[in-house]
Amino acid sequence: MSQSAYSKLENRYNRLGLLGEAGDVLHWDSAAIMPAGAAKARGEQIAELKAISHNLIIAPDTSDLIDAASQQSDLNQWQQSNLNLIRHHWTRATAIPEDLVVALSKACSECEAVWRDARAKNDFKRVLPYMETVLELIKQSGTAVAEKLNLPLYDALLGEFEPGARSAEIDPVFDDLTDWFPNFLDDVLAAQDARPAIRIPKGPFAIDVQRELGIKFMDALGFDFNYGRLDISLHPFCGGTPDDVRITTRYDEDDFTSALMGVLHETGHAMYERGLPIDYRRQPVGNALGMSMHESQSLLVEMQVCRSSEFLEYAAPLAKKAFNGTGSAWGADNLYRLYTKVERGFIRVDADEVTYPAHVILRYQLEKALINGEMKLADLPQAWNKKMQDMLGITPPTDTLGCMQDIHWYDGAWGYFPTYTLGAMTAAQIFQAASQAKPAINAGIPKGDFKPLMAWLRSNIHSSGSLMPASELLTKTTGHTLDPSVFKDHLKRRYLP
Amino acid sequence: MSQSAYSKLENRYNRLGLLGEAGDVLHWDSAAIMPAGAAKARGEQIAELKAISHNLIIAPDTSDLIDAASQQSDLNQWQQSNLNLIRHHWTRATAIPEDLVVALSKACSECEAVWRDARAKNDFKRVLPYMETVLELIKQSGTAVAEKLNLPLYDALLGEFEPGARSAEIDPVFDDLTDWFPNFLDDVLAAQDARPAIRIPKGPFAIDVQRELGIKFMDALGFDFNYGRLDISLHPFCGGTPDDVRITTRYDEDDFTSALMGVLHETGHAMYERGLPIDYRRQPVGNALGMSMHESQSLLVEMQVCRSSEFLEYAAPLAKKAFNGTGSAWGADNLYRLYTKVERGFIRVDADEVTYPAHVILRYQLEKALINGEMKLADLPQAWNKKMQDMLGITPPTDTLGCMQDIHWYDGAWGYFPTYTLGAMTAAQIFQAASQAKPAINAGIPKGDFKPLMAWLRSNIHSSGSLMPASELLTKTTGHTLDPSVFKDHLKRRYLP
């Protein structure tokens, strides 16, 4: 029996998936362990893999195969959805010429390597020309997609990370948060001042002990080290592949709290990847949804679960024991106050959940202006610092603590940032629904039993892959579309008296 | 101006080189740090890269491009040599059908993963069926090449690692060594017994101190950590790419000597990779020569240089200091006797340079018999043990210490083993020529100055890439073809009174 058009596409996407996995491992390696001198060659290796993938996607027969598969009456719901995703994928890919794909990939690798150095040396001017090249190529490829899909340029870029999202819909939500935020932050800080002073556990905290404690919590959350790793990198991330999920963190010997919560955050991402439907491995329908759903899974673990007083009831004694801690600084109440401490800070990845949206909105507004040509990259440090002052009332003393802190723009991720705060809102909404659906979830947390939560997430979110769009999955599992008031209510409950 | 046929081939081989590098990084990752659960997916990723490379090599226009490039009068000596290598490459590749390439790659990855487990558990039967599959597919692909090149089956496989080598030429050399060996070994052991007893430095030796000492010597030898790494793996190897050379070792807290010398050995490989001509990066002519030349570079560093009394004059005080050693066990004389200690042992990678050829010849004879169908794989443990008894007078108590000790056969490297001893002979001959040509080489060793040696090797061996065959390069640099008597003389000088 000859292969159906759909089967041919599926086989092709299996190959694409394997190439993507190879690239993911190379990318993890670059960020976690590669010697600096290899950056140029690595950039070329990854670019070659991308070029081959690009050619496979836009192969001359793809269009006909998609049309023929559309006529097949034997496709199940998953296959139908897969075919739709393949069509969308093809439409985006055919918009961008191969030489642009290769040039962008190389530019990103080079810029990322220079950024690592420039960031350490607080030398924005050194990385500026590399970043200009990246942005120029990002705009070229975004324009190509925008024309094909009849979208505004920014939305064409945003769609790479968050299919179907529109800045016109994000703007009012973010504007609403921006308006609400200053007064709320004042109230939160006032309430915080009225509570007992936070006591800081005394270090140093040996890195291997921090690592072991992180692993203990990863184990409790269900992370399987037979299918993943925990390593160190400058910018913590979750990489690798669904069968080999690799999370990274960075340790500070004077403060264990940040690396530990970072590990828990990335574990949320990792559990999503591990829970994806194995029957559709390497097919678009078997992949995770857009970045806001991915971030919702990390933020659900970190913000909704692990920064709760219930989680710290379980975690505080373990941390105290691991570090041989003594005194009231190690009490669950104090650690809860520490882990929900709010302050006006410079660094997004260290920000609390109250101020985090401000960091995101700042980046969202700046990247829109840069992409739309309303601002020059050379003016980024000044513009960044001004917005920080406007929104959080503080000015970064260095660009290392300002516009060079994040890898994203330097590595070509433009249109990515809004997904963090969309993810935070989604997390609040999903966790509320899960808690209501299954009381064992909340009951388990103080005992360190996360099985009910993870089972619910696996069956309601993870195993769904990309069968339906994020908005549809959210409505299906929570009963309503994205509702920012759930997020606001969560913040009010946790942070106001 | 349109691209010449040769330029087209060069571009294609640049892409092939990038795909090969990607595969090399994945392979290093599998052996050094990959979680076990990812083995199957990794096997498929590597197989996909190999299939794409295979298709690029055998592309329908390759034959015409090679013919057209052969007519070009504008090729320099390097390009001419490159074209010859491309033609040879193409001839070998077109002999093997793609599905066989893919099947073999998968079978090797699976077998390697099972071997890791079976070796730990001394369970040869568990790995046997996987190994049978590997051998069967190796024979199929070897037969395909043998028919195309009109070679005996074994030579077709050998040629993958050592282009142009013939078992008919190896047999008499190895038979000669086999005859000479037993009496020589008796003499060596008698001479050893007449020397002062060897004192063993007392451990434990902390792994991080062992690692730091290894790095100190790697630095002294010229290894640049901006372009490479040192890690841990079960079977030490040198992997990665010329711009990112990664060596591995395995540490034993009770004995620092083995890991340290292993690091020096792999550093010899690494320096060869780093010294390859950068102008021909990713072209066949820019690659290292066959495995015997590669092994000659590691053995030159390890056996000719680092196990010499001159090297230990430099190294002993550093080791003593690093481990806070006390007493005469740490004297250069004693460490020299330790590092040139000869004994009848089970493990090839731990073997001394006197008994090493016996380990190699045993494997060479067994793999020839297995490939030629004169022996069954199920009988391997018995046959192995019998030969060990015949040649070294000892019988391994377990298969872990016997036929499961090396990764090679399980990972598909059949026809590889003889290159070790060919390499040892080549190393002796090259080092003799280098020492005679440049007295600063020997003068530098006791002072830890390896710059004269490495400069000579780089300009005489490394930078030559694959411009000429190994035999021609050897004759050019040493004045004569491979002469095993140089190796024998070296052994006699070092080990007899």
Side-chain angles (χ1 to χ4, degrees):
Chain A
M1 208 178 81
S2 81
Q3 237 186 358
S4 74
Y6 177 79
S7 292
K8 283 181 188 164
L9 286 170
E10 211 177 49
N11 286 348
R12 190 168 295 172
Y13 269 81
N14 186 55
R15 297 184 59 196
L16 279 164
L18 290 168
L19 289 168
E21 289 179 0
D24 288 339
V25 175
L26 292 186
H27 186 264
W28 171 88
D29 185 276
S30 310
I33 62 172
M34 185 187 74
K40 187 166 170 293
R42 178 61 51 82
E44 292 176 37
Q45 293 152 17
I46 291 176
E48 177 61 27
L49 290 179
K50 284 196 183 169
I52 289 172
S53 295
H54 188 69
N55 283 337
L56 262 179
I57 294 171
I58 64 163
D61 60 345
T62 304
S63 179
D64 289 346
L65 285 174
I66 290 173
D67 288 345
S70 304
Q71 304 301 319
Q72 284 181 234
S73 56
D74 60 338
L75 303 187
N76 68 26
Q77 187 195 4
W78 285 83
Q79 293 167 325
Q80 197 65 57
S81 183
N82 199 34
L83 182 59
N84 291 338
L85 292 166
I86 288 173
R87 186 186 293 108
H88 180 79
H89 208 183
W90 177 81
T91 307
R92 285 191 78 94
T94 47
I96 310 175
E98 186 188 344
D99 57 351
L100 186 50
V101 173
V102 173
L104 180 57
S105 173
K106 266 192 204 172
C108 290
S109 293
E110 280 173 24
C111 183
E112 186 198 315
V114 173
W115 164 76
R116 288 182 190 281
D117 187 49
R119 180 182 190 268
K121 293 174 182 152
N122 186 37
D123 187 357
F124 180 75
K125 278 190 183 149
R126 167 148 161 62
V127 76
L128 179 59
Y130 295 88
M131 195 183 190
E132 277 169 340
T133 304
V134 168
L135 179 57
E136 177 53 33
L137 296 170
I138 282 284
K139 284 165 75 173
Q140 282 177 27
S141 60
T143 301
V145 172
E147 282 169 5
K148 191 103 169 217
L149 295 175
N150 196 24
L151 286 173
L153 173 54
Y154 184 82
D155 289 2
L157 295 168
L158 174 63
E160 183 74 34
F161 308 105
E162 197 58 30
R166 298 284 175 271
S167 53
E169 291 169 11
I170 295 173
D171 286 339
V173 176
F174 280 8
D175 288 348
D176 173 271
L177 278 179
T178 308
D179 291 343
W180 172 79
F181 178 69
N183 286 341
F184 177 67
L185 181 58
D186 288 343
D187 293 347
V188 167
L189 291 173
Q192 182 169 277
D193 285 345
R195 294 197 196 96
I198 295 167
R199 289 176 295 281
I200 308 294
K202 266 198 194 134
F205 306 100
I207 285 170
D208 58 341
V209 178
Q210 291 192 49
R211 184 180 145 79
E212 274 164 38
L213 189 63
I215 288 173
K216 187 188 280 278
F217 292 140
M218 289 169 74
D219 279 338
L221 284 163
F223 187 98
D224 183 348
F225 280 88
N226 196 39
Y227 296 95
R229 292 180 54 90
L230 167 65
D231 294 277
I232 294 173
S233 79
L234 191 60
H235 184 89
F237 71 109
C238 174
T241 71
D243 294 309
D244 185 359
V245 191
R246 300 182 177 191
I247 72 174
T248 68
T249 191
R250 54 180 168 199
Y251 297 102
D252 177 350
E253 284 208 319
D254 296 326
D255 173 16
F256 73 89
T257 60
S258 159
L260 187 61
M261 205 46 79
V263 164
L264 294 165
H265 176 97
E266 303 303 338
T267 300
H269 283 305
M271 295 307 290
Y272 187 11
E273 289 290 317
R274 288 290 305 141
L276 291 169
I278 200 161
D279 289 346
Y280 292 90
R281 189 71 93 228
R282 296 181 196 116
Q283 297 301 311
V285 75
N287 290 342
L289 283 163
M291 298 317 302
S292 74
M293 187 57 77
H294 227 304
E295 196 62 16
S296 82
Q297 296 308 293
S298 54
L299 290 176
L300 191 154
V301 169
E302 179 189 353
M303 295 297 174
Q304 301 294 320
V305 174
C306 296
R307 289 186 192 259
S308 70
S309 58
E310 292 80 7
F311 179 83
L312 288 158
E313 222 176 281
Y314 151 70
L318 295 174
K320 182 178 178 181
K321 191 177 166 202
F323 295 115
N324 294 317
T326 53
S328 57
W330 294 91
D333 282 354
N334 182 64
L335 286 184
Y336 174 60
R337 287 200 300 281
L338 182 57
Y339 264 128
T340 52
K341 189 182 172 201
V342 176
E343 60 187 340
R344 307 176 199 271
F346 301 120
I347 301 296
R348 177 182 60 84
V349 297
D350 294 338
D352 53 82
E353 72 177 323
V354 172
T355 55
Y356 206 102
H359 289 274
V360 166
I361 292 169
L362 170 153
R363 286 156 176 78
Y364 171 70
Q365 292 172 348
L366 289 174
E367 71 177 10
K368 270 210 310 176
L370 287 164
I371 286 163
N372 294 331
E374 295 152 9
M375 196 183 118
K376 282 182 182 166
L377 258 185
D379 299 329
L380 176 62
Q382 268 181 293
W384 180 287
N385 291 356
K386 182 169 183 316
K387 269 198 190 290
M388 280 295 286
Q389 188 60 48
D390 291 347
M391 300 182 78
L392 284 162
I394 51 177
T395 299
T398 65
D399 295 333
T400 300
L401 294 173
C403 65
M404 282 199 293
Q405 67 183 267
D406 291 318
I407 195 176
H408 303 59
W409 288 337
Y410 304 89
D411 193 30
W414 292 79
Y416 183 105
F417 278 118
T419 64
Y420 284 110
T421 291
L422 297 174
M425 293 176 192
T426 302
Q429 192 163 325
I430 289 176
F431 187 65
Q432 186 190 57
S435 305
Q436 286 167 0
K438 207 166 160 186
I441 289 175
N442 276 333
I445 295 173
K447 295 181 284 185
D449 176 12
F450 307 102
K451 286 194 186 74
L453 172 66
M454 284 302 162
W456 191 92
L457 288 175
R458 183 166 280 213
S459 83
N460 287 279
I461 305 288
H462 305 172
S463 64
S464 176
S466 287
L467 180 60
M468 60 195 88
S471 55
E472 202 178 316
L473 181 61
L474 188 68
T475 304
K476 187 182 165 222
T477 51
T478 71
H480 52 93
T481 55
L482 186 64
D483 176 4
S485 72
V486 179
F487 178 61
K488 286 192 200 171
D489 288 345
H490 158 71
L491 292 183
K492 288 179 206 161
R493 264 197 315 278
R494 178 170 287 175
Y495 293 95
L496 294 186
Chain B
M1 210 177 81
S2 80
Q3 239 187 355
S4 74
Y6 176 79
S7 292
K8 284 183 188 164
L9 285 171
E10 210 176 51
N11 287 347
R12 188 167 298 173
Y13 269 80
N14 185 56
R15 298 184 58 197
L16 279 164
L18 289 168
L19 289 169
E21 289 179 0
D24 289 339
V25 175
L26 292 186
H27 187 265
W28 171 88
D29 185 274
S30 310
I33 63 172
M34 185 187 73
K40 188 166 168 293
R42 180 60 53 83
E44 292 176 37
Q45 292 152 16
I46 291 176
E48 177 61 29
L49 290 179
K50 283 196 184 169
I52 289 172
S53 295
H54 188 69
N55 282 338
L56 262 180
I57 294 171
I58 64 164
D61 61 344
T62 305
S63 177
D64 288 347
L65 286 173
I66 291 172
D67 288 346
S70 304
Q71 304 302 317
Q72 285 182 232
S73 56
D74 58 339
L75 303 187
N76 68 26
Q77 187 195 3
W78 284 83
Q79 293 167 324
Q80 196 66 57
S81 182
N82 200 33
L83 181 59
N84 291 337
L85 292 166
I86 288 172
R87 187 186 294 107
H88 180 78
H89 207 184
W90 176 82
T91 306
R92 287 193 76 93
T94 47
I96 310 175
E98 186 188 345
D99 57 352
L100 186 50
V101 173
V102 173
L104 180 57
S105 172
K106 267 191 203 173
C108 291
S109 293
E110 281 173 24
C111 183
E112 186 197 315
V114 174
W115 163 76
R116 289 184 189 282
D117 187 48
R119 180 183 190 265
K121 294 173 181 156
N122 187 38
D123 187 356
F124 180 73
K125 278 190 184 150
R126 166 147 163 64
V127 76
L128 179 59
Y130 295 89
M131 194 184 192
E132 276 169 341
T133 304
V134 168
L135 179 56
E136 177 52 34
L137 296 170
I138 282 284
K139 285 165 75 171
Q140 282 177 26
S141 61
T143 301
V145 173
E147 282 168 6
K148 191 102 168 217
L149 296 174
N150 195 26
L151 286 173
L153 173 54
Y154 184 82
D155 288 3
L157 294 168
L158 174 63
E160 183 75 33
F161 308 105
E162 196 58 32
R166 297 285 175 271
S167 52
E169 291 168 10
I170 295 172
D171 286 340
V173 175
F174 280 8
D175 288 348
D176 173 89
L177 279 179
T178 308
D179 291 344
W180 172 78
F181 178 69
N183 286 341
F184 177 68
L185 180 58
D186 288 344
D187 293 348
V188 167
L189 291 172
Q192 182 169 276
D193 286 345
R195 293 197 195 97
I198 295 168
R199 290 175 294 282
I200 308 294
K202 269 201 193 128
F205 306 101
I207 285 171
D208 58 341
V209 179
Q210 291 192 50
R211 184 180 145 82
E212 275 165 37
L213 189 64
I215 288 174
K216 188 188 281 278
F217 292 139
M218 289 169 75
D219 279 338
L221 284 163
F223 187 97
D224 183 348
F225 280 86
N226 195 39
Y227 296 94
R229 292 181 52 91
L230 167 64
D231 293 277
I232 294 174
S233 78
L234 191 62
H235 184 90
F237 71 110
C238 173
T241 72
D243 295 308
D244 185 0
V245 192
R246 300 183 176 191
I247 72 175
T248 67
T249 190
R250 56 180 167 199
Y251 297 102
D252 177 350
E253 284 209 319
D254 297 325
D255 173 17
F256 74 88
T257 60
S258 161
L260 187 62
M261 204 48 79
V263 164
L264 294 165
H265 177 97
E266 302 303 338
T267 299
H269 283 304
M271 295 306 290
Y272 187 9
E273 289 290 318
R274 287 292 306 143
L276 291 169
I278 200 160
D279 290 346
Y280 292 90
R281 189 71 93 229
R282 298 183 194 111
Q283 297 301 311
V285 75
N287 290 341
L289 284 163
M291 298 316 303
S292 75
M293 187 57 78
H294 227 305
E295 196 61 16
S296 83
Q297 296 308 292
S298 53
L299 290 175
L300 191 153
V301 169
E302 178 188 354
M303 295 297 174
Q304 300 295 320
V305 175
C306 295
R307 290 187 192 259
S308 69
S309 57
E310 292 81 4
F311 179 84
L312 287 158
E313 222 176 282
Y314 150 70
L318 295 173
K320 182 177 178 181
K321 190 177 166 202
F323 296 115
N324 293 316
T326 53
S328 58
W330 293 92
D333 283 355
N334 182 62
L335 286 184
Y336 174 60
R337 285 200 301 281
L338 182 58
Y339 265 127
T340 52
K341 189 182 174 203
V342 176
E343 61 186 340
R344 308 177 199 270
F346 300 120
I347 301 296
R348 177 183 61 85
V349 297
D350 294 337
D352 53 81
E353 73 178 321
V354 172
T355 55
Y356 206 103
H359 289 273
V360 166
I361 292 167
L362 169 152
R363 287 157 176 77
Y364 170 70
Q365 291 172 348
L366 288 174
E367 71 176 10
K368 270 209 308 176
L370 287 164
I371 286 162
N372 294 332
E374 295 152 10
M375 196 183 119
K376 283 182 181 166
L377 258 185
D379 299 330
L380 176 62
Q382 268 180 292
W384 180 287
N385 291 355
K386 183 172 184 313
K387 270 200 189 288
M388 279 296 287
Q389 188 60 47
D390 291 347
M391 300 182 79
L392 283 162
I394 52 176
T395 298
T398 66
D399 294 333
T400 299
L401 294 172
C403 64
M404 282 200 293
Q405 66 182 267
D406 291 318
I407 195 174
H408 302 59
W409 288 337
Y410 304 88
D411 192 31
W414 292 79
Y416 183 106
F417 278 117
T419 64
Y420 285 109
T421 291
L422 298 173
M425 294 176 191
T426 303
Q429 192 163 324
I430 290 176
F431 187 67
Q432 186 190 57
S435 305
Q436 286 167 0
K438 207 166 158 188
I441 289 175
N442 277 333
I445 295 173
K447 295 182 284 185
D449 176 12
F450 308 102
K451 286 194 185 74
L453 171 66
M454 284 302 162
W456 191 92
L457 288 175
R458 183 166 279 214
S459 83
N460 287 278
I461 304 288
H462 305 170
S463 63
S464 178
S466 288
L467 180 60
M468 61 195 87
S471 55
E472 201 178 318
L473 181 61
L474 188 69
T475 304
K476 188 182 165 221
T477 50
T478 71
H480 53 93
T481 56
L482 186 64
D483 176 4
S485 73
V486 179
F487 178 62
K488 286 193 203 171
D489 288 346
H490 158 72
L491 292 183
K492 287 179 206 162
R493 264 197 315 279
R494 178 170 286 176
Y495 293 95
L496 294 186

